[in-house]
mmCIF file of all heavy atoms in Angstrom:
data_model
loop_
_atom_site.group_PDB
_atom_site.id
_atom_site.type_symbol
_atom_site.label_atom_id
_atom_site.label_comp_id
_atom_site.label_asym_id
_atom_site.label_seq_id
_atom_site.Cartn_x
_atom_site.Cartn_y
_atom_site.Cartn_z
ATOM 1 N N LEU A 1 1.180 18.355 9.141
ATOM 2 C CA LEU A 1 1.590 17.053 8.622
ATOM 3 C C LEU A 1 0.342 16.242 8.341
ATOM 4 O O LEU A 1 -0.519 16.109 9.214
ATOM 5 C CB LEU A 1 2.466 16.313 9.634
ATOM 6 C CG LEU A 1 2.702 14.832 9.337
ATOM 7 C CD1 LEU A 1 3.706 14.679 8.215
ATOM 8 C CD2 LEU A 1 3.177 14.113 10.575
ATOM 9 N N LEU A 2 0.234 15.724 7.140
ATOM 10 C CA LEU A 2 -0.860 14.831 6.780
ATOM 11 C C LEU A 2 -0.311 13.419 6.728
ATOM 12 O O LEU A 2 0.596 13.126 5.939
ATOM 13 C CB LEU A 2 -1.453 15.218 5.422
ATOM 14 C CG LEU A 2 -2.481 14.243 4.839
ATOM 15 C CD1 LEU A 2 -3.705 14.148 5.737
ATOM 16 C CD2 LEU A 2 -2.869 14.659 3.441
ATOM 17 N N ASP A 3 -0.824 12.555 7.587
ATOM 18 C CA ASP A 3 -0.455 11.149 7.542
ATOM 19 C C ASP A 3 -1.403 10.487 6.553
ATOM 20 O O ASP A 3 -2.523 10.124 6.889
ATOM 21 C CB ASP A 3 -0.572 10.514 8.928
ATOM 22 C CG ASP A 3 -0.176 9.050 8.926
ATOM 23 O OD1 ASP A 3 0.171 8.517 7.857
ATOM 24 O OD2 ASP A 3 -0.224 8.435 10.010
ATOM 25 N N ALA A 4 -0.942 10.353 5.322
ATOM 26 C CA ALA A 4 -1.788 9.839 4.248
ATOM 27 C C ALA A 4 -1.524 8.370 3.963
ATOM 28 O O ALA A 4 -1.881 7.875 2.894
ATOM 29 C CB ALA A 4 -1.567 10.671 2.992
ATOM 30 N N ALA A 5 -0.926 7.655 4.899
ATOM 31 C CA ALA A 5 -0.593 6.257 4.672
ATOM 32 C C ALA A 5 -1.831 5.436 4.352
ATOM 33 O O ALA A 5 -1.856 4.673 3.383
ATOM 34 C CB ALA A 5 0.128 5.689 5.888
ATOM 35 N N ALA A 6 -2.870 5.570 5.128
ATOM 36 C CA ALA A 6 -4.099 4.817 4.867
ATOM 37 C C ALA A 6 -4.969 5.513 3.823
ATOM 38 O O ALA A 6 -5.614 4.859 3.011
ATOM 39 C CB ALA A 6 -4.883 4.627 6.160
ATOM 40 N N LEU A 7 -4.997 6.833 3.831
ATOM 41 C CA LEU A 7 -5.824 7.594 2.900
ATOM 42 C C LEU A 7 -5.442 7.323 1.453
ATOM 43 O O LEU A 7 -6.298 7.091 0.595
ATOM 44 C CB LEU A 7 -5.704 9.098 3.191
ATOM 45 C CG LEU A 7 -6.402 10.032 2.210
ATOM 46 C CD1 LEU A 7 -7.909 9.896 2.341
ATOM 47 C CD2 LEU A 7 -5.965 11.466 2.432
ATOM 48 N N ALA A 8 -4.148 7.319 1.149
ATOM 49 C CA ALA A 8 -3.695 7.155 -0.233
ATOM 50 C C ALA A 8 -3.985 5.770 -0.784
ATOM 51 O O ALA A 8 -3.997 5.580 -1.994
ATOM 52 C CB ALA A 8 -2.203 7.458 -0.322
ATOM 53 N N SER A 9 -4.231 4.801 0.088
ATOM 54 C CA SER A 9 -4.534 3.452 -0.397
ATOM 55 C C SER A 9 -5.985 3.310 -0.846
ATOM 56 O O SER A 9 -6.316 2.365 -1.554
ATOM 57 C CB SER A 9 -4.215 2.415 0.684
ATOM 58 O OG SER A 9 -5.069 2.596 1.795
ATOM 59 N N THR A 10 -6.853 4.239 -0.455
ATOM 60 C CA THR A 10 -8.271 4.114 -0.803
ATOM 61 C C THR A 10 -8.830 5.305 -1.571
ATOM 62 O O THR A 10 -9.921 5.224 -2.108
ATOM 63 C CB THR A 10 -9.123 3.937 0.468
ATOM 64 O OG1 THR A 10 -8.926 5.066 1.329
ATOM 65 C CG2 THR A 10 -8.754 2.659 1.193
ATOM 66 N N SER A 11 -8.105 6.412 -1.620
ATOM 67 C CA SER A 11 -8.593 7.627 -2.272
ATOM 68 C C SER A 11 -7.451 8.320 -3.001
ATOM 69 O O SER A 11 -6.304 8.251 -2.562
ATOM 70 C CB SER A 11 -9.148 8.610 -1.234
ATOM 71 O OG SER A 11 -10.173 8.031 -0.489
ATOM 72 N N PRO A 12 -7.769 9.023 -4.079
ATOM 73 C CA PRO A 12 -6.718 9.807 -4.730
ATOM 74 C C PRO A 12 -6.258 10.938 -3.819
ATOM 75 O O PRO A 12 -7.066 11.532 -3.113
ATOM 76 C CB PRO A 12 -7.380 10.361 -5.992
ATOM 77 C CG PRO A 12 -8.791 9.920 -5.977
ATOM 78 C CD PRO A 12 -9.042 9.093 -4.768
ATOM 79 N N LEU A 13 -4.978 11.203 -3.833
ATOM 80 C CA LEU A 13 -4.401 12.261 -3.009
ATOM 81 C C LEU A 13 -4.094 13.445 -3.917
ATOM 82 O O LEU A 13 -3.216 13.365 -4.768
ATOM 83 C CB LEU A 13 -3.136 11.761 -2.316
ATOM 84 C CG LEU A 13 -2.427 12.719 -1.382
ATOM 85 C CD1 LEU A 13 -3.344 13.136 -0.242
ATOM 86 C CD2 LEU A 13 -1.163 12.091 -0.842
ATOM 87 N N ASP A 14 -4.829 14.527 -3.762
ATOM 88 C CA ASP A 14 -4.670 15.701 -4.611
ATOM 89 C C ASP A 14 -4.011 16.824 -3.812
ATOM 90 O O ASP A 14 -4.616 17.388 -2.910
ATOM 91 C CB ASP A 14 -6.035 16.154 -5.130
ATOM 92 C CG ASP A 14 -5.944 17.344 -6.071
ATOM 93 O OD1 ASP A 14 -4.827 17.675 -6.503
ATOM 94 O OD2 ASP A 14 -6.995 17.936 -6.367
ATOM 95 N N LEU A 15 -2.771 17.111 -4.156
ATOM 96 C CA LEU A 15 -2.017 18.177 -3.495
ATOM 97 C C LEU A 15 -1.769 19.333 -4.454
ATOM 98 O O LEU A 15 -0.846 20.119 -4.259
ATOM 99 C CB LEU A 15 -0.684 17.632 -2.971
ATOM 100 C CG LEU A 15 -0.768 16.474 -1.986
ATOM 101 C CD1 LEU A 15 0.616 15.932 -1.675
ATOM 102 C CD2 LEU A 15 -1.479 16.900 -0.721
ATOM 103 N N SER A 16 -2.587 19.459 -5.475
ATOM 104 C CA SER A 16 -2.350 20.463 -6.513
ATOM 105 C C SER A 16 -2.631 21.891 -6.062
ATOM 106 O O SER A 16 -2.096 22.831 -6.636
ATOM 107 C CB SER A 16 -3.186 20.144 -7.753
ATOM 108 O OG SER A 16 -4.564 20.160 -7.432
ATOM 109 N N ASN A 17 -3.448 22.074 -5.033
ATOM 110 C CA ASN A 17 -3.739 23.419 -4.542
ATOM 111 C C ASN A 17 -2.723 23.785 -3.465
ATOM 112 O O ASN A 17 -2.809 23.337 -2.324
ATOM 113 C CB ASN A 17 -5.167 23.492 -3.999
ATOM 114 C CG ASN A 17 -5.562 24.891 -3.601
ATOM 115 O OD1 ASN A 17 -4.752 25.814 -3.613
ATOM 116 N ND2 ASN A 17 -6.813 25.054 -3.237
ATOM 117 N N ALA A 18 -1.763 24.618 -3.822
ATOM 118 C CA ALA A 18 -0.686 24.974 -2.885
ATOM 119 C C ALA A 18 -1.199 25.727 -1.664
ATOM 120 O O ALA A 18 -0.594 25.673 -0.593
ATOM 121 C CB ALA A 18 0.368 25.807 -3.594
ATOM 122 N N ALA A 19 -2.321 26.409 -1.790
ATOM 123 C CA ALA A 19 -2.853 27.187 -0.664
ATOM 124 C C ALA A 19 -3.401 26.297 0.445
ATOM 125 O O ALA A 19 -3.373 26.673 1.612
ATOM 126 C CB ALA A 19 -3.949 28.128 -1.148
ATOM 127 N N THR A 20 -3.891 25.115 0.112
ATOM 128 C CA THR A 20 -4.477 24.234 1.127
ATOM 129 C C THR A 20 -3.627 22.999 1.406
ATOM 130 O O THR A 20 -3.930 22.257 2.337
ATOM 131 C CB THR A 20 -5.883 23.770 0.699
ATOM 132 O OG1 THR A 20 -5.777 23.033 -0.524
ATOM 133 C CG2 THR A 20 -6.811 24.943 0.530
ATOM 134 N N ALA A 21 -2.581 22.784 0.650
ATOM 135 C CA ALA A 21 -1.757 21.591 0.833
ATOM 136 C C ALA A 21 -1.005 21.649 2.157
ATOM 137 O O ALA A 21 -0.572 22.714 2.589
ATOM 138 C CB ALA A 21 -0.757 21.457 -0.315
ATOM 139 N N PRO A 22 -0.835 20.501 2.821
ATOM 140 C CA PRO A 22 -0.070 20.473 4.071
ATOM 141 C C PRO A 22 1.419 20.708 3.811
ATOM 142 O O PRO A 22 1.896 20.581 2.687
ATOM 143 C CB PRO A 22 -0.321 19.070 4.617
ATOM 144 C CG PRO A 22 -0.784 18.270 3.466
ATOM 145 C CD PRO A 22 -1.377 19.204 2.475
ATOM 146 N N ASP A 23 2.145 21.031 4.872
ATOM 147 C CA ASP A 23 3.583 21.253 4.753
ATOM 148 C C ASP A 23 4.333 19.942 4.532
ATOM 149 O O ASP A 23 5.331 19.907 3.826
ATOM 150 C CB ASP A 23 4.112 21.947 6.011
ATOM 151 C CG ASP A 23 3.513 23.324 6.172
ATOM 152 O OD1 ASP A 23 3.769 24.175 5.318
ATOM 153 O OD2 ASP A 23 2.758 23.530 7.146
ATOM 154 N N PHE A 24 3.848 18.880 5.172
ATOM 155 C CA PHE A 24 4.476 17.570 5.065
ATOM 156 C C PHE A 24 3.396 16.519 4.862
ATOM 157 O O PHE A 24 2.337 16.580 5.495
ATOM 158 C CB PHE A 24 5.264 17.234 6.342
ATOM 159 C CG PHE A 24 6.272 18.295 6.708
ATOM 160 C CD1 PHE A 24 5.961 19.272 7.640
ATOM 161 C CD2 PHE A 24 7.508 18.317 6.108
ATOM 162 C CE1 PHE A 24 6.866 20.262 7.961
ATOM 163 C CE2 PHE A 24 8.435 19.308 6.431
ATOM 164 C CZ PHE A 24 8.114 20.279 7.360
ATOM 165 N N VAL A 25 3.659 15.556 4.000
ATOM 166 C CA VAL A 25 2.745 14.438 3.781
ATOM 167 C C VAL A 25 3.558 13.158 3.878
ATOM 168 O O VAL A 25 4.554 12.991 3.168
ATOM 169 C CB VAL A 25 2.057 14.509 2.394
ATOM 170 C CG1 VAL A 25 1.157 13.302 2.178
ATOM 171 C CG2 VAL A 25 1.266 15.793 2.240
ATOM 172 N N ALA A 26 3.150 12.263 4.758
ATOM 173 C CA ALA A 26 3.799 10.964 4.889
ATOM 174 C C ALA A 26 2.871 9.910 4.295
ATOM 175 O O ALA A 26 1.676 9.917 4.569
ATOM 176 C CB ALA A 26 4.067 10.656 6.364
ATOM 177 N N LEU A 27 3.444 9.032 3.478
ATOM 178 C CA LEU A 27 2.619 7.955 2.929
ATOM 179 C C LEU A 27 3.432 6.688 2.789
ATOM 180 O O LEU A 27 4.655 6.713 2.790
ATOM 181 C CB LEU A 27 1.959 8.365 1.612
ATOM 182 C CG LEU A 27 2.820 8.813 0.455
ATOM 183 C CD1 LEU A 27 3.108 7.669 -0.480
ATOM 184 C CD2 LEU A 27 2.067 9.880 -0.301
ATOM 185 N N SER A 28 2.718 5.588 2.683
ATOM 186 C CA SER A 28 3.331 4.270 2.608
ATOM 187 C C SER A 28 2.957 3.614 1.288
ATOM 188 O O SER A 28 1.780 3.399 1.013
ATOM 189 C CB SER A 28 2.840 3.395 3.770
ATOM 190 O OG SER A 28 3.204 2.056 3.557
ATOM 191 N N PHE A 29 3.962 3.309 0.474
ATOM 192 C CA PHE A 29 3.682 2.623 -0.787
ATOM 193 C C PHE A 29 3.258 1.180 -0.529
ATOM 194 O O PHE A 29 2.521 0.593 -1.307
ATOM 195 C CB PHE A 29 4.899 2.675 -1.709
ATOM 196 C CG PHE A 29 5.227 4.067 -2.149
ATOM 197 C CD1 PHE A 29 6.422 4.653 -1.817
ATOM 198 C CD2 PHE A 29 4.317 4.809 -2.884
ATOM 199 C CE1 PHE A 29 6.725 5.942 -2.212
ATOM 200 C CE2 PHE A 29 4.599 6.101 -3.286
ATOM 201 C CZ PHE A 29 5.808 6.668 -2.948
ATOM 202 N N TYR A 30 3.711 0.619 0.581
ATOM 203 C CA TYR A 30 3.307 -0.737 0.937
ATOM 204 C C TYR A 30 1.798 -0.816 1.147
ATOM 205 O O TYR A 30 1.147 -1.763 0.726
ATOM 206 C CB TYR A 30 4.046 -1.191 2.202
ATOM 207 C CG TYR A 30 3.654 -2.583 2.626
ATOM 208 C CD1 TYR A 30 4.208 -3.688 1.996
ATOM 209 C CD2 TYR A 30 2.719 -2.790 3.627
ATOM 210 C CE1 TYR A 30 3.841 -4.968 2.354
ATOM 211 C CE2 TYR A 30 2.344 -4.064 3.999
ATOM 212 C CZ TYR A 30 2.911 -5.153 3.357
ATOM 213 O OH TYR A 30 2.540 -6.417 3.703
ATOM 214 N N LYS A 31 1.222 0.201 1.779
ATOM 215 C CA LYS A 31 -0.223 0.192 2.012
ATOM 216 C C LYS A 31 -1.017 0.431 0.736
ATOM 217 O O LYS A 31 -2.165 0.041 0.632
ATOM 218 C CB LYS A 31 -0.602 1.226 3.068
ATOM 219 C CG LYS A 31 -0.159 0.821 4.451
ATOM 220 C CD LYS A 31 -0.685 1.776 5.487
ATOM 221 C CE LYS A 31 -0.284 1.297 6.877
ATOM 222 N NZ LYS A 31 -0.806 2.166 7.922
ATOM 223 N N ILE A 32 -0.410 1.069 -0.245
ATOM 224 C CA ILE A 32 -1.094 1.313 -1.507
ATOM 225 C C ILE A 32 -1.013 0.082 -2.410
ATOM 226 O O ILE A 32 -2.014 -0.376 -2.948
ATOM 227 C CB ILE A 32 -0.482 2.534 -2.235
ATOM 228 C CG1 ILE A 32 -0.660 3.791 -1.393
ATOM 229 C CG2 ILE A 32 -1.124 2.717 -3.611
ATOM 230 C CD1 ILE A 32 0.097 4.999 -1.933
ATOM 231 N N PHE A 33 0.195 -0.464 -2.589
ATOM 232 C CA PHE A 33 0.424 -1.521 -3.562
ATOM 233 C C PHE A 33 0.593 -2.914 -2.966
ATOM 234 O O PHE A 33 0.538 -3.894 -3.682
ATOM 235 C CB PHE A 33 1.668 -1.200 -4.396
ATOM 236 C CG PHE A 33 1.644 0.148 -5.047
ATOM 237 C CD1 PHE A 33 2.605 1.083 -4.756
ATOM 238 C CD2 PHE A 33 0.650 0.481 -5.956
ATOM 239 C CE1 PHE A 33 2.601 2.329 -5.358
ATOM 240 C CE2 PHE A 33 0.626 1.722 -6.568
ATOM 241 C CZ PHE A 33 1.606 2.643 -6.267
ATOM 242 N N GLY A 34 0.852 -3.032 -1.673
ATOM 243 C CA GLY A 34 1.135 -4.330 -1.071
ATOM 244 C C GLY A 34 2.623 -4.660 -1.074
ATOM 245 O O GLY A 34 3.053 -5.583 -0.412
ATOM 246 N N PHE A 35 3.396 -3.960 -1.829
ATOM 247 C CA PHE A 35 4.847 -4.027 -1.886
ATOM 248 C C PHE A 35 5.294 -2.773 -2.593
ATOM 249 O O PHE A 35 4.456 -2.089 -3.181
ATOM 250 C CB PHE A 35 5.325 -5.282 -2.617
ATOM 251 C CG PHE A 35 5.268 -5.170 -4.122
ATOM 252 C CD1 PHE A 35 6.411 -4.899 -4.853
ATOM 253 C CD2 PHE A 35 4.075 -5.294 -4.815
ATOM 254 C CE1 PHE A 35 6.361 -4.776 -6.232
ATOM 255 C CE2 PHE A 35 4.016 -5.172 -6.186
ATOM 256 C CZ PHE A 35 5.159 -4.915 -6.889
ATOM 257 N N PRO A 36 6.468 -2.355 -2.652
ATOM 258 C CA PRO A 36 7.629 -2.707 -1.853
ATOM 259 C C PRO A 36 7.591 -1.998 -0.506
ATOM 260 O O PRO A 36 6.726 -1.155 -0.279
ATOM 261 C CB PRO A 36 8.784 -2.192 -2.708
ATOM 262 C CG PRO A 36 8.223 -1.006 -3.407
ATOM 263 C CD PRO A 36 6.772 -1.321 -3.638
ATOM 264 N N ASN A 37 8.515 -2.318 0.323
ATOM 265 C CA ASN A 37 8.556 -1.752 1.664
ATOM 266 C C ASN A 37 9.205 -0.368 1.618
ATOM 267 O O ASN A 37 10.345 -0.188 2.009
ATOM 268 C CB ASN A 37 9.316 -2.690 2.592
ATOM 269 C CG ASN A 37 9.195 -2.269 4.029
ATOM 270 O OD1 ASN A 37 8.338 -1.471 4.371
ATOM 271 N ND2 ASN A 37 10.055 -2.802 4.878
ATOM 272 N N LEU A 38 8.455 0.606 1.095
ATOM 273 C CA LEU A 38 8.945 1.975 0.968
ATOM 274 C C LEU A 38 7.883 2.953 1.429
ATOM 275 O O LEU A 38 6.692 2.659 1.376
ATOM 276 C CB LEU A 38 9.254 2.318 -0.496
ATOM 277 C CG LEU A 38 10.519 1.776 -1.114
ATOM 278 C CD1 LEU A 38 10.571 2.153 -2.588
ATOM 279 C CD2 LEU A 38 11.745 2.299 -0.417
ATOM 280 N N GLY A 39 8.337 4.103 1.840
ATOM 281 C CA GLY A 39 7.437 5.195 2.179
ATOM 282 C C GLY A 39 7.968 6.473 1.579
ATOM 283 O O GLY A 39 9.020 6.483 0.944
ATOM 284 N N ALA A 40 7.223 7.538 1.758
ATOM 285 C CA ALA A 40 7.656 8.825 1.213
ATOM 286 C C ALA A 40 7.279 9.934 2.179
ATOM 287 O O ALA A 40 6.276 9.838 2.890
ATOM 288 C CB ALA A 40 6.998 9.075 -0.143
ATOM 289 N N LEU A 41 8.083 10.962 2.188
ATOM 290 C CA LEU A 41 7.777 12.190 2.889
ATOM 291 C C LEU A 41 7.802 13.291 1.840
ATOM 292 O O LEU A 41 8.837 13.585 1.258
ATOM 293 C CB LEU A 41 8.795 12.489 3.988
ATOM 294 C CG LEU A 41 8.598 13.807 4.737
ATOM 295 C CD1 LEU A 41 7.279 13.787 5.515
ATOM 296 C CD2 LEU A 41 9.762 14.075 5.668
ATOM 297 N N ILE A 42 6.642 13.875 1.583
ATOM 298 C CA ILE A 42 6.526 14.965 0.623
ATOM 299 C C ILE A 42 6.610 16.264 1.421
ATOM 300 O O ILE A 42 5.882 16.449 2.391
ATOM 301 C CB ILE A 42 5.198 14.878 -0.150
ATOM 302 C CG1 ILE A 42 5.101 13.529 -0.866
ATOM 303 C CG2 ILE A 42 5.075 16.033 -1.134
ATOM 304 C CD1 ILE A 42 3.743 13.243 -1.448
ATOM 305 N N VAL A 43 7.512 17.151 1.009
ATOM 306 C CA VAL A 43 7.821 18.367 1.770
ATOM 307 C C VAL A 43 7.591 19.598 0.898
ATOM 308 O O VAL A 43 8.083 19.662 -0.230
ATOM 309 C CB VAL A 43 9.293 18.343 2.242
ATOM 310 C CG1 VAL A 43 9.638 19.593 3.029
ATOM 311 C CG2 VAL A 43 9.588 17.095 3.053
ATOM 312 N N ARG A 44 6.859 20.572 1.442
ATOM 313 C CA ARG A 44 6.734 21.868 0.761
ATOM 314 C C ARG A 44 8.091 22.559 0.796
ATOM 315 O O ARG A 44 8.759 22.573 1.841
ATOM 316 C CB ARG A 44 5.729 22.772 1.478
ATOM 317 C CG ARG A 44 4.302 22.423 1.258
ATOM 318 C CD ARG A 44 3.408 23.300 2.118
ATOM 319 N NE ARG A 44 3.515 24.705 1.794
ATOM 320 C CZ ARG A 44 2.585 25.384 1.118
ATOM 321 N NH1 ARG A 44 1.495 24.778 0.744
ATOM 322 N NH2 ARG A 44 2.753 26.655 0.859
ATOM 323 N N LYS A 45 8.503 23.146 -0.287
ATOM 324 C CA LYS A 45 9.819 23.797 -0.336
ATOM 325 C C LYS A 45 9.950 24.887 0.711
ATOM 326 O O LYS A 45 11.009 25.039 1.319
ATOM 327 C CB LYS A 45 10.067 24.368 -1.726
ATOM 328 C CG LYS A 45 10.342 23.310 -2.757
ATOM 329 C CD LYS A 45 10.625 23.922 -4.105
ATOM 330 C CE LYS A 45 10.853 22.833 -5.128
ATOM 331 N NZ LYS A 45 11.117 23.386 -6.462
ATOM 332 N N VAL A 46 8.895 25.656 0.944
ATOM 333 C CA VAL A 46 8.986 26.754 1.915
ATOM 334 C C VAL A 46 9.061 26.252 3.352
ATOM 335 O O VAL A 46 9.431 27.014 4.245
ATOM 336 C CB VAL A 46 7.814 27.753 1.761
ATOM 337 C CG1 VAL A 46 7.839 28.420 0.410
ATOM 338 C CG2 VAL A 46 6.484 27.074 2.002
ATOM 339 N N SER A 47 8.747 24.996 3.602
ATOM 340 C CA SER A 47 8.782 24.434 4.959
ATOM 341 C C SER A 47 9.999 23.552 5.196
ATOM 342 O O SER A 47 10.228 23.097 6.317
ATOM 343 C CB SER A 47 7.522 23.616 5.214
ATOM 344 O OG SER A 47 6.377 24.396 5.014
ATOM 345 N N ALA A 48 10.780 23.298 4.176
ATOM 346 C CA ALA A 48 11.909 22.366 4.280
ATOM 347 C C ALA A 48 12.973 22.817 5.263
ATOM 348 O O ALA A 48 13.687 21.989 5.827
ATOM 349 C CB ALA A 48 12.531 22.159 2.903
#
């Protein structure tokens, strides 16, 4: 699991390499944009 809540607000998040991508990525759109109060959980299909 990659907690990218703070990372995504300051750096681009590149998950294009399936071999190194985490199974789950949690991020906060609020921390990126300042609004709205939403988050996301990105899930690899093979780990769902």
Side-chain angles (χ1 to χ4, degrees):
L1 167 76
L2 172 63
D3 181 359
L7 174 69
S9 65
T10 59
S11 302
L13 182 60
D14 182 12
L15 302 173
S16 61
N17 185 354
T20 61
D23 296 296
F24 306 97
V25 178
L27 58 95
S28 168
F29 295 117
Y30 179 80
K31 289 187 177 182
I32 298 171
F33 306 120
F35 80 101
N37 189 16
L38 284 176
L41 177 65
I42 302 170
V43 180
R44 284 175 62 105
K45 287 182 182 179
V46 297
S47 303

